[in-house]
Amino acid sequence: QRDPDTGAAERRREGVDRAAKLLRRYRSNRGGAAGAAHGCFEGSRPRGLKGQRQVNTLRVLVADDHRLMLAAVRRALADAPDFEIVHEVSVGSHVLPAVRDSSPDVVLLDLRMPELDGLECLQRLHKHDPSIAVVILSSYSDPEQIEAARNGGARGYVVKTVEPVDLPTALRTAL
């Protein structure tokens, strides 16, 4: 008889493996893309940063409804000297106003949030500014979620099981 925790860990690993396989397929179908531990979608790379300004520090807006996740992202980016978290939100309906106020280079966006889910936020962000870089941060690694994010205009998809040291690379790759 299997330990229930072992089964959950195995299912989580299988989900991450499926997501990684799907992302590799997207990259190979699009002529390849640089990727970190998780993927960025080649066809959605920007031609230039918003306002054509030179950026030494990448400005990040983090949207997640879990305090622990916000703290983990803050910690993961703290050791990367080229990142600055300019805003944090925990409610989906606050994402667009926060983007308007803080002009981030990249939005790290959870799929499941109160009031407005991540996919709807993604749609509204791209309607507001199609050039905005959005990377989805999610505990879901199923192909349907990744496909929905990709079709919605996300430049990358990072599963929350990512190693913290790999998060900065995943964000850089999206830009």
Side-chain angles (χ1 to χ4, degrees), residues 26-68:
Y26 284 141
R27 287 191 294 250
S28 67
N29 289 342
R30 294 187 167 275
H38 300 275
C40 292
F41 308 120
E42 178 69 21
S44 55
R45 287 185 179 257
R47 290 192 171 80
L49 290 176
K50 187 176 180 179
Q52 299 299 318
R53 61 188 166 113
Q54 289 293 326
V55 177
N56 293 326
T57 302
L58 297 173
R59 299 167 49 83
V60 181
L61 183 145
V62 184
D64 197 295
D65 60 326
H66 294 99
R67 286 181 172 189
L68 184 60

Side-chain angles (χ1 to χ4, degrees), residues 109 118-127 134 136 148-149 152-154:
L109 180 64
L119 292 176
E120 181 64 27
C121 285
L122 180 62
Q123 182 181 31
R124 291 181 185 192
L125 286 168
H126 280 282
K127 187 175 182 179
V134 178
I136 299 297

Side-chain angles (χ1 to χ4, degrees), residues 26-145:
Y26 284 141
R27 287 191 294 250
S28 67
N29 289 342
R30 294 187 167 275
H38 300 275
C40 292
F41 308 120
E42 178 69 21
S44 55
R45 287 185 179 257
R47 290 192 171 80
L49 290 176
K50 187 176 180 179
Q52 299 299 318
R53 61 188 166 113
Q54 289 293 326
V55 177
N56 293 326
T57 302
L58 297 173
R59 299 167 49 83
V60 181
L61 183 145
V62 184
D64 197 295
D65 60 326
H66 294 99
R67 286 181 172 189
L68 184 60
M69 201 63 221
L70 290 171
V73 169
R74 211 177 302 122
R75 178 66 186 109
L77 297 180
D79 292 334
D82 54 336
F83 284 95
E84 174 189 7
I85 295 177
V86 295
H87 212 298
E88 294 178 354
V89 297
S90 58
V91 176
S93 62
H94 296 175
V95 173
L96 188 55
V99 165
R100 287 182 183 134
D101 291 344
S102 61
S103 300
D105 298 307
V106 63
V107 176
L108 189 58
L109 180 64
D110 187 13
L111 277 181
R112 301 285 179 242
M113 288 187 296
E115 293 185 22
L116 194 65
D117 74 19
L119 292 176
E120 181 64 27
C121 285
L122 180 62
Q123 182 181 31
R124 291 181 185 192
L125 286 168
H126 280 282
K127 187 175 182 179
H128 166 71
D129 181 359
S131 69
I132 195 153
V134 178
V135 174
I136 299 297
L137 179 65
S138 179
S139 57
Y140 300 97
S141 60
D142 58 72
E144 295 82 19
Q145 293 291 343

